[in-house]
Every structure is written in structure tokens, then in C-alpha cells.
Amino acid sequence: MNSKPIIGITMGDAAGVGPEIILKSLQHSEMHDICRPVIIGDMSMLERAKTFVGSEVPVRAITEDELTDLAEDSGTVYCLDLDLLPADLPVGKVSPEAGHAAFEYLATAIRLAMDGKISAICTAPLNKEALQKGGHLYPGHTEILADLTGTEEYSMMLSAPNLRVIHVTTHVGIVDAIKMINPERVYRVIQLAHETLRRSGLENPKIAVCGINPHAGENGLFGYGEEEKVIPGVERAQEEGIDVVGPLPADTLFFRAVRGDFDIVVAMYHDQGHGPVKVLGLDAGVNITVGLPIVRTSVDHGTAFDIAGTGIADEKSLMEAIRQAVDLAPKS
């Protein structure tokens, strides 16, 4: 019986570095040692990317019917070829065709994961402008995943060496983000963080919550919001026995978390959480969507149109995303 999980790796925006970092990642034998990777994308884009990165790894197109019978130790890169893009798709440019294809790759992966045909999804980056020009009006991967799985309560968790961050709000402007923060949402994100880390093996994770304002408002001296938007959610979680503190000043909280005082930080908005993670290194960060009925991990960088086609894009973030997908995948 096959034991290695099947990880569906979506190509993302094929005009970017996605095809390149996928091939570079799957040249490492470790990836094949821990899973059976299947690329969900276009064979023509992989063949082109092989010339960019100088890859000689064997790539074979497969059908959905073949997913249940993939060899465990072949070293072959399998591609579920959706054949959506022209072979001469411009490299490094926003393309509605590539945006639409990126959506279809992800939609296919979600369906396969929901049907139990793949164990987890790992996504290469898409381009939000191309996605919307391709007719799909979503802010990004996370919202597509939530919509197509019927998930109402979800959050983005970023993982980097010595730091995990989960977000109360993500892809909205700062003014709208502040409006969206409320005690119920803060409480649910604390719950998601607690449940996710418990499933990963931490019996009683230590959680810290950021304030909204400088110095967490300092009792109204530097703004208002913590008292009505954050504190009730924290107190509710504390009453249920969750080990959570806050709101704490964000300017010192992330230092304390990296030092080891906390297992995860609850950030109020996108840049509050993303900035510290990316300072630790773009090649080490992984994006994990929590709250879904399926496992999804991703690189924590964009399509890098400026270097697409050069073969120099770093594959380390994708490799780490694949590792975490394997770790989080359901165990049979």
C-alpha cells in the first residue's frame, strides 16, 4: 500500500517563476523521499521552464485516474496537464490567460483534495492583477480556497524560523481592516491558532495578541480600539482555558516571539504580521491557510515577474511549503 502522501502542487501564474521553482524544488531527492508530488498545471509551461533552469528531471503527463497508482520512488515529476495556455505565453507579464489558468489549477486541486484524491495542496504564487483580469474577482489564493470549500471562518498563518503569525484581517486596506476587527473575529482567530498548533503537537500553545495602535493604545493615549475590538475576544478565549495574552505592543511583541516567549502571534492586519516574517527571510517563509477542511500551504513570495525566465528564482520557500504540507497532511 502506498504510504507517501500525494501533494498537489499548483503552478500558479505560469508567466512568473512558479514553473521554475517547482522544477528546481523537485530536482531535490528529499522531495521525492517524503511525498509523491503532482504538478497541477500545463506541461508546455514545464517544458519551457526546463530550458530556463537547465533541468533534466523527467516529467510525465498523467490523468486523474492515474493519481491512485503513482510510484513512490521513481523520481519522476508527474503533471496533471490541464493544457490551458499557449506555448508562447509571454514571460514576466500580466496576462488574463495566465490569471484564469492559475484559478483553474487551484480549483482543480481543491476538488481533488476534497475528494480525497490528493493529500494536500501546495501553491506556487499567482498574480492578483492577472487573476482579476482573467475574470476571477478574488484578492488571492486564501479567499478562493475559502469560497470553493464553503469555509466561513479561516485565517492566514505565516511560518518562518522561530516565528508563527496568524491574521485577524488580510487582503483589505488598513482603514477597512480596522473596521473589520471585532471581538468575535479576534476570538475565532485565537481559537484557530490554538487548534492548529494543538494538531501539530503543541499541547498548550502560548498565544500573544497584537494591539491595533502604537503601544497597544496605552489606555487611550495613542488611539482607541483595543478596549472594544480586541480585549473582549482575548478574555473570552482566556475563560475557555486558552493560554493567550494581549493586546500587547506590536513593536516589542515580535521580538519576544522570536526569542521564544510565545508560540504564535495574532496580528490585526496584513502588514503588521507580514513585515516581521519577511524580515526573517523570503526564502524561509511559508503561508498556511487554517480553518479549511483541506490542507493548503504556499510560498510566501510573489510571482517575481522581474526575474521570471532567468532560472535564478530561489526554490527554498517552496521546498519548505512542501515539507509543511507533508507534515500537515492527513495520516492514513
Side-chain angles (χ1 to χ4, degrees), residues 13 15 85 89 92-104 126-140 144 305:
D13 192 307
L85 295 172
L89 178 78
K93 295 182 179 179
V94 172
S95 160
E97 293 82 5
H100 171 67
F103 175 86
E104 292 296 336
L126 55 71
N127 181 278
K128 295 174 177 63
E129 181 182 355
L131 177 71
Q132 298 203 9
K133 285 185 174 180
H136 305 285
L137 303 181
Y138 294 91
I144 298 172
F305 279 169

Side-chain angles (χ1 to χ4, degrees), residues 5 20 23 27 59 79 82-83 86 97 158 179 226 229 237 252-253 271 278 305 314:
E20 298 169 53
L23 285 174
Q27 288 181 139
V59 180
C79 176
L82 301 194
D83 192 21
E97 293 82 5
L158 302 181
K179 292 177 182 176
E226 280 77 11
K229 290 177 172 287
T252 54
L253 173 50
D271 284 11
K278 293 190 177 183
F305 279 169
D314 195 304

Side-chain angles (χ1 to χ4, degrees), residues 11 14 39 54 56 76 83 91 106 130 138 152 204 239 256:
M11 189 174 284
I39 303 166
E56 296 182 0
T76 298
D83 192 21
V91 178
L106 182 59
Y138 294 91
E152 294 184 3
N204 190 32
E239 289 168 2
R256 294 181 60 191

Side-chain angles (χ1 to χ4, degrees), residues 157-229:
M157 184 172 86
L158 302 181
S159 176
N162 305 317
L163 180 63
R164 300 183 190 93
V165 181
I166 191 168
H167 294 70
V168 172
T169 68
T170 50
H171 294 122
V172 292
I174 185 66
V175 173
D176 291 330
I178 301 305
K179 292 177 182 176
M180 291 171 64
I181 298 168
N182 61 65
E184 177 66 22
R185 176 62 179 166
V186 170
Y187 164 72
R188 285 296 298 133
V189 172
I190 293 169
Q191 262 198 335
L192 287 170
H194 180 73
E195 293 166 2
T196 300
L197 294 190
R198 277 179 58 85
R199 286 197 301 269
S200 73
L202 284 173
E203 182 63 29
N204 190 32
K206 297 179 179 179
I207 303 169
V209 177
C210 286
I212 301 171
N213 296 293
H215 304 286
E218 204 157 305
N219 297 317
L221 184 62
F222 297 111
Y224 297 91
E226 280 77 11
E227 291 81 0
E228 62 266 29
K229 290 177 172 287

Side-chain angles (χ1 to χ4, degrees), residues 223-266:
Y224 297 91
E226 280 77 11
E227 291 81 0
E228 62 266 29
K229 290 177 172 287
V230 181
I231 291 174
V234 174
E235 290 178 342
R236 181 178 171 188
Q238 290 171 336
E239 289 168 2
E240 294 183 3
I242 295 176
D243 187 355
V244 56
V245 296
L248 300 176
D251 58 356
T252 54
L253 173 50
F254 288 100
F255 169 80
R256 294 181 60 191
V258 171
R259 186 175 65 185
D261 293 3
F262 306 107
D263 296 306
I264 191 166
V265 173
V266 177

Side-chain angles (χ1 to χ4, degrees), residues 3 56 75 88 135 173 179 206 208 224 232 252 269 275-276 296 320 332:
S3 58
E56 296 182 0
D88 61 351
K179 292 177 182 176
K206 297 179 179 179
Y224 297 91
T252 54
Y269 49 88
R296 179 263 177 160
E320 183 58 30
S332 55

Side-chain angles (χ1 to χ4, degrees), residues 302-313:
T303 48
F305 279 169
D306 57 325
I307 61 170
T310 66
I312 65 173

